[in-house]
Amino acid sequence: MSGGSERRGAGEGTGGQADRRVRADAQRNMDALLRTALAVFATSGVDAPVREIAERAGVGVGTVYRHFPQRSDLIAAVFRREIDACADAASLLAAEYGPFDALAQWMLRYVDFVSAKRGLAAALHSGDPAYEALPAYFDQRLRPALQGLFDAASAAGAIRTGAKPNELLRAVASLCTAAHDVGPDYARSMIGLLLDGLRYGAAGSA
Amino acid sequence: MSGGSERRGAGEGTGGQADRRVRADAQRNMDALLRTALAVFATSGVDAPVREIAERAGVGVGTVYRHFPQRSDLIAAVFRREIDACADAASLLAAEYGPFDALAQWMLRYVDFVSAKRGLAAALHSGDPAYEALPAYFDQRLRPALQGLFDAASAAGAIRTGAKPNELLRAVASLCTAAHDVGPDYARSMIGLLLDGLRYGAAGSA
DNA sequence: ACCTGAACACCGTTCAAGT
DNA sequence: ACCTGAACACCGTTCAAGT
């Protein structure tokens, strides 16, 4: 449910609470680094110099390379974090809103995610091995998230059943990339149509 | 019909045959540069160092930057050249083959073009102004080329009419990008299906 | 006119030295 | 254990000097 894959070595004999593997400052650096990188990538693009990110995060470049041996590893880590945040938003929204609204809100959240990550998406096709596992991770985290919202909404009778989450994710993603050429808000209005189409009472046959 | 837009200054009073604007060695350098760049991009990708291209072409880096103020200008020029070559192939094939076969051959030629230029296609979305005019040029040259083959084929009764060239170009392009993930030859076999669908006698309704 | 290549600025990455 | 930042290698781009 929470963020995800913190590395814990397997096979620990020394049980107990003094099990913290990373020093507090290291953890703090790591967090600052990822947060700063996200912000810098958003403003300057993914080609922003590592030095600039390190400086703004208040760490030395060496620290960046300690955590992320390659530039692309940092980019991939930021991307994973955003996937996590988007997936986690599903349960938060499900707790706050009714079944249909939670679904609708999450779709908008997903649109923001995809739109903001266009630069990264381009990097995905670069062949860099650092990005290899990302598509699978994307699926692994986002599909169940949407599936949960779907199940809740159709159990409540708010939408008709049978919609495939991964198809919808892909469709929205391609709408968003097309939207960049057309104009803003285009994607959002298309999502509105999609949601109306899912809703019970709409004339849906094909 | 031929390659394209060699720059000729407007307004020449000094008529005559001694009108050559570029020195012979400059022209030779230019050609070598574009040919070499094409080859280097194909093997090492579009991120290949300018120095390497200059060296292999037998010119100084300064010469590269004289012709192409930015790295991206060189890439764009290579791309334009390939568009020209692909467009020009249409009339060549039309002269050599019958109407339907010329169309079929050209589609394969176009598949090669799109497949080989995947790296460049990714660069197109980078926002670099050097690439701004390329999509329009793509359309301007390739659409008439395919339209000519279409017209000839449907005049000969070989295909049914009404197919939109630009739609077909886009469809094939997206097939090719998808093909990269699936495997080679996938695009070619899909093109085969498309052509069969165009052919008269096939059961086509939807 | 056009070409060359040393020189400059900048960026990814490493590693000896610190705490 | 983890951090720092000078140092190295490399790449885009410029420009004084050549022909």
Side-chain angles (χ1 to χ4, degrees):
Chain A
M1 288 224 169
S2 86
S5 56
E6 295 308 307
R7 49 214 77 132
R8 304 204 163 273
E12 286 298 313
T14 61
Q17 74 289 10
D19 203 8
R20 298 217 180 85
R21 310 302 294 276
V22 291
R23 253 165 45 178
D25 58 338
Q27 185 60 50
R28 215 168 28 234
N29 281 338
M30 186 73 162
D31 285 347
L33 211 43
L34 286 173
R35 263 201 318 272
T36 308
L38 175 65
V40 171
F41 289 157
T43 49
S44 312
V46 283
D47 291 331
V50 172
R51 250 179 270 265
E52 183 189 337
I53 297 166
E55 206 170 308
R56 290 219 218 184
V59 303
V61 265
T63 301
V64 180
Y65 281 93
R66 155 172 286 268
H67 292 301
F68 309 102
Q70 312 246 35
R71 206 181 175 294
S72 45
D73 293 318
L74 173 59
I75 296 174
V78 169
F79 201 100
R80 286 175 72 101
R81 244 208 175 189
E82 289 300 286
I83 291 175
D84 285 335
C86 190
D88 292 343
S91 37
L92 295 181
L93 290 169
E96 257 193 277
Y97 296 88
F100 184 84
D101 287 348
L103 175 60
Q105 293 281 342
W106 190 82
M107 291 303 276
L108 295 180
R109 176 72 172 77
Y110 176 67
V111 167
D112 288 340
F113 165 72
V114 175
S115 303
K117 297 301 161 298
R118 201 169 346 100
L120 299 200
L124 286 194
H125 294 238
S126 70
D128 193 306
Y131 305 129
E132 240 167 27
L134 278 181
Y137 191 69
F138 180 97
D139 243 55
Q140 175 196 324
R141 295 241 45 201
L142 259 28
R143 194 156 43 96
L146 179 54
Q147 183 74 64
L149 295 171
F150 262 25
D151 290 347
S154 71
I159 62 169
R160 55 164 171 269
T161 59
K164 303 263 192 305
N166 35 0
E167 287 177 7
L168 202 55
L169 289 174
R170 282 202 179 276
V172 171
S174 46
L175 280 175
C176 286
T177 61
H180 180 229
D181 303 334
V182 174
D185 303 322
Y186 164 75
R188 303 183 99 87
S189 71
M190 293 307 286
I191 305 312
L193 284 181
L194 282 178
L195 285 169
D196 283 349
L198 280 172
R199 204 161 206 154
Y200 251 133
S205 65
Chain B
M1 292 219 168
S2 85
S5 56
E6 295 308 307
R7 51 214 74 132
R8 302 204 162 273
E12 286 300 312
T14 60
Q17 74 289 7
D19 203 7
R20 298 213 182 87
R21 310 301 296 274
V22 292
R23 253 164 44 177
D25 58 339
Q27 184 61 50
R28 215 168 27 234
N29 279 338
M30 187 73 162
D31 286 346
L33 211 43
L34 286 173
R35 263 201 316 274
T36 308
L38 175 66
V40 171
F41 288 156
T43 49
S44 312
V46 282
D47 291 331
V50 171
R51 250 178 269 266
E52 183 188 337
I53 297 167
E55 206 171 307
R56 289 218 219 185
V59 303
V61 265
T63 301
V64 180
Y65 281 93
R66 154 173 287 267
H67 292 303
F68 309 102
Q70 312 247 34
R71 205 179 177 292
S72 43
D73 293 318
L74 173 60
I75 296 175
V78 169
F79 201 101
R80 285 175 73 100
R81 243 207 177 191
E82 288 300 287
I83 291 175
D84 285 334
C86 189
D88 292 344
S91 37
L92 296 179
L93 291 169
E96 258 194 275
Y97 295 89
F100 184 83
D101 286 348
L103 176 60
Q105 294 280 341
W106 190 83
M107 292 299 277
L108 295 181
R109 174 73 172 78
Y110 176 67
V111 167
D112 287 341
F113 165 73
V114 174
S115 304
K117 296 303 161 297
R118 200 168 348 99
L120 297 201
L124 287 194
H125 294 240
S126 70
D128 194 306
Y131 307 129
E132 239 166 28
L134 277 181
Y137 191 69
F138 180 97
D139 243 55
Q140 175 195 326
R141 294 241 45 200
L142 257 28
R143 195 156 43 97
L146 179 54
Q147 183 72 66
L149 296 170
F150 262 25
D151 291 346
S154 71
I159 62 169
R160 56 164 170 269
T161 59
K164 304 263 190 307
N166 34 2
E167 287 177 7
L168 202 56
L169 289 175
R170 281 201 180 278
V172 172
S174 47
L175 281 175
C176 287
T177 60
H180 181 230
D181 302 333
V182 174
D185 304 323
Y186 164 75
R188 304 183 98 88
S189 70
M190 292 307 287
I191 306 310
L193 285 181
L194 282 178
L195 285 170
D196 283 350
L198 281 172
R199 203 163 209 154
Y200 252 133
S205 65

